[in-house]
């Protein structure tokens, strides 16, 4: 992270002389984003626990992402962009396969939690080109860049529930249930988390103007968020009694099952103490992150108020 901010500062200082320079005819671009998404949080990840940043990324959990963007090029080095993205992120503790009982990764595997969440993000960012970018001039059609911005996103973590009697499957909204005792009398400090949070997009990419009509690009973006509940996991296990005291019998059974799924792996309860009430369920000290990567395709340009689109 420190390296990225140093690169942003370097790019900013590099481009200070260009703030007052503007291209002939303002260049604005509207395009589509087609890519993939992944997440960094408590669930799943690599087989060893606590590995930093992308070392804990599980490529098998990569899911689709699409979106649209509007880019305003202030000059040949600086651009502003507004984004609207939709993505799916998911995680599963079964991927943290243990090598031995009570090893670090064993605890995560034994927890046996999983989730899926749809994300709708709106964000704005500043792009700093490391090379002059002027799509209408062959010499300056290619430029690598870094970006930094701010945004907000809406998310709804869900888990798959299999009814033990009918064996029917359905996706259940975890936030409304409060799987860590949110909203109960016993945990007044745990309120149900909000369905939206802030994010800080940052990353790098490249863009290339094939001709005056078509611009292509590719970028990888990381999102630091302000929530630790993207995966519905953060603090400790509340225990079965908490749910029995606050819900009707049917709902209490459902919430308890989704809160503590180690019973699916260990029905005999040999290691029940690992997931007892007040035992660690997540890590509240680190917020969840997610990543987007993919291609950016400019579908039309606007120069000097004139829309330029390909003629087929």
């Amino acid at each position: 992270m420190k390296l990225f901010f140093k690169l942003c500062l370097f790019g900013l200082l590099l481009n200070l002389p260009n703030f007052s320079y503007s291209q002939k005819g303002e260049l604005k671009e509207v395009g589509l984003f087609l890519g993939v998404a992944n997440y960094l949080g408590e669930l799943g990840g690599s087989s060893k626990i606590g590995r930093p940043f992308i070392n804990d990324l599980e490529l098998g959990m990569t899911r689709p992402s699409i979106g649209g963007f509007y880019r305003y090029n202030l000059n040949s080095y600086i651009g502003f962009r507004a984004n609207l993205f939709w993505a799916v992120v998911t995680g599963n503790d079964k991927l943290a396969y243990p090598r031995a009982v009570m090893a670090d990764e064993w605890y995560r595997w034994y927890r046996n939690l999983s989730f899926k969440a749809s994300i709708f993000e709106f964000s704005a960012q500043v792009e700093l080109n490391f090379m002059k970018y002027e799509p209408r001039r062959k010499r300056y059609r290619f430029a690598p860049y870094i970006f930094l911005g701010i945004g907000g996103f809406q998310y709804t973590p869900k888990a798959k529930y299999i009814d033990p009697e009918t064996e029917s499957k359905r996706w259940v909204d975890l936030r409304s249930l409060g799987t860590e005792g949110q909203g109960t009398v016993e945990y007044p400090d745990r309120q149900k988390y909000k369905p939206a949070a802030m994010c800080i997009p940052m990353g790098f990419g490249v863009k290339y103007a094939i001709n005056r009509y078509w611009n292509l690009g590719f970028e990888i973006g990381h999102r630091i968020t302000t929530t630790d509940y993207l995966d519905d996991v953060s603090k400790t296990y509340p225990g079965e009694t908490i749910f029995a005291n606050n819900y009707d019998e049917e709902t209490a059974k459902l919430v308890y099952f989704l809160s503590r799924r180690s019973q699916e792996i260990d029905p005999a309860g040999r290691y029940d103490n690992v997931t007892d009430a007040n035992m660690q369920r997540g890590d509240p000290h680190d917020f969840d992150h997610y990543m987007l990567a993919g291609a950016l395709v400019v579908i039309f340009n606007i120069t000097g108020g004139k829309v330029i689109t390909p003629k087929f």
Side-chain angles (χ1 to χ4, degrees), residues 100-311:
V101 174
M102 299 301 177
D104 286 341
E105 63 270 24
W106 180 88
Y107 289 92
R108 183 153 48 169
W109 173 82
Y110 184 76
R111 181 177 54 186
N112 194 39
L113 297 176
S114 61
F115 88 105
K116 178 180 72 173
S118 292
I119 291 175
F120 292 91
E121 175 196 308
F122 176 76
S123 57
Q125 64 192 48
V126 179
E127 296 179 353
L128 299 176
N129 303 327
F130 283 97
M131 298 169 61
K132 182 181 288 189
Y133 179 65
E134 295 181 10
R136 296 186 298 278
R137 299 178 62 186
K138 290 184 178 181
R139 185 178 178 182
Y140 303 117
R141 285 182 174 179
F142 172 81
Y145 64 92
I146 56 176
F147 65 87
L148 179 65
I150 189 168
F153 67 99
Q154 186 273 335
Y155 66 105
T156 305
K158 297 181 179 181
K160 183 182 289 187
Y161 173 68
I162 303 176
D163 191 297
E165 297 180 1
T166 64
E167 295 188 355
S168 60
K169 302 177 182 179
R170 61 189 174 99
W171 287 94
V172 180
D173 180 354
L174 296 172
R175 186 182 73 88
S176 62
L177 294 178
T179 56
E180 292 188 350
Q182 298 99 326
T184 61
V185 176
E186 291 83 355
Y187 289 98
D189 60 322
R190 297 186 187 182
Q191 299 302 314
K192 291 186 177 179
Y193 51 91
K194 296 179 180 179
M198 302 292 291
C199 66
I200 301 176
M202 61 178 67
F204 62 91
V206 294
K207 45 193 171 185
Y208 176 72
I210 298 175
N211 52 43
R212 65 183 304 214
Y213 302 119
W214 294 105
N215 296 16
L216 296 178
F218 179 84
E219 73 177 27
I220 298 176
H222 183 75
R223 268 68 176 171
I224 300 174
T225 78
T226 59
T227 180
D228 194 33
Y229 283 105
L230 181 58
D231 49 20
D232 190 62
V233 178
S234 180
K235 295 181 173 64
T236 60
Y237 290 94
E240 187 174 11
T241 304
I242 300 298
F243 302 128
N245 293 341
N246 290 272
Y247 298 99
D248 61 76
E249 184 178 354
E250 183 178 352
T251 305
K253 288 182 179 179
L254 173 64
V255 183
Y256 179 61
F257 176 84
L258 294 174
S259 173
R260 181 179 176 271
R261 304 194 71 163
S262 57
Q263 53 196 309
E264 296 177 84
I265 288 179
D266 182 23
R270 291 174 298 172
Y271 305 104
D272 269 356
N273 60 309
V274 174
T275 54
D276 276 346
N278 298 317
M279 295 296 288
Q280 182 180 0
R281 188 172 186 259
D283 181 4
H285 303 294
D286 294 317
F287 287 159
D288 297 329
H289 300 194
Y290 64 95
M291 304 178 70
L292 301 177
L296 299 102
V297 182
V298 173
I299 55 177
F300 62 86
N301 298 322
I302 307 172
T303 57
K306 180 181 179 182
V307 178
I308 300 177
T309 57
K311 295 177 175 58

